[in-house]
Amino acid sequence: MTLQTTPHSGMTLLIGPRAQQTAVLTLISSLALRQPLAVIDGGWQGFDAFAIARALRRETVALDETLTRIMVTRAGTAYQLVQLAEQVERPYPLVIY
């Protein structure tokens, strides 16, 4: 997996093969324990909400409260993905999955 930061946009990119799916789900779970975040499902990998819930259940008893911090949307096209990314309120972290 590669971690890259874009200096002008302030975005941090985590780039990796589909085999690293567990690491991304762990990242999403860890972020949700601390703060609200937005997740855009690009559609090709399929966001696994059940895996997130299982990971969070091991970390907290406040499962429902923590799950409400994750705002998930799905983009059907690259154009929709860009639109959704632009609509995310800052300072929420944004994960495009």
Side-chain angles (χ1 to χ4, degrees):
M1 240 194 235
T2 305
L3 188 64
Q4 298 177 347
T5 301
T6 57
H8 299 293
S9 69
M11 292 175 50
T12 301
L13 306 173
L14 182 64
I15 303 167
R18 186 173 179 162
Q20 297 295 326
Q21 181 174 346
T22 303
V24 175
L25 295 176
T26 301
L27 171 69
I28 293 169
S29 299
S30 297
L31 287 169
L33 287 168
R34 294 169 182 75
Q35 62 191 353
L37 73 142
V39 176
I40 299 175
D41 181 352
W44 61 276
Q45 288 184 337
F47 178 74
D48 190 353
F50 293 112
I52 297 288
R54 283 191 302 272
L56 288 172
R57 190 173 289 121
R58 290 188 292 268
E59 300 295 325
T60 182
V61 295
L63 181 62
D64 290 339
E65 177 185 333
T66 307
L67 285 172
T68 61
R69 293 184 191 143
I70 305 172
M71 295 161 280
V72 180
T73 57
R74 174 166 287 150
T77 65
Y79 177 75
Q80 288 175 334
L81 193 139
V82 171
Q83 279 188 318
L84 291 169
E86 289 174 345
Q87 293 172 1
V88 171
E89 291 183 36
R90 302 296 187 240
Y92 290 156
L94 170 62
V95 177
I96 299 175
Y97 184 76

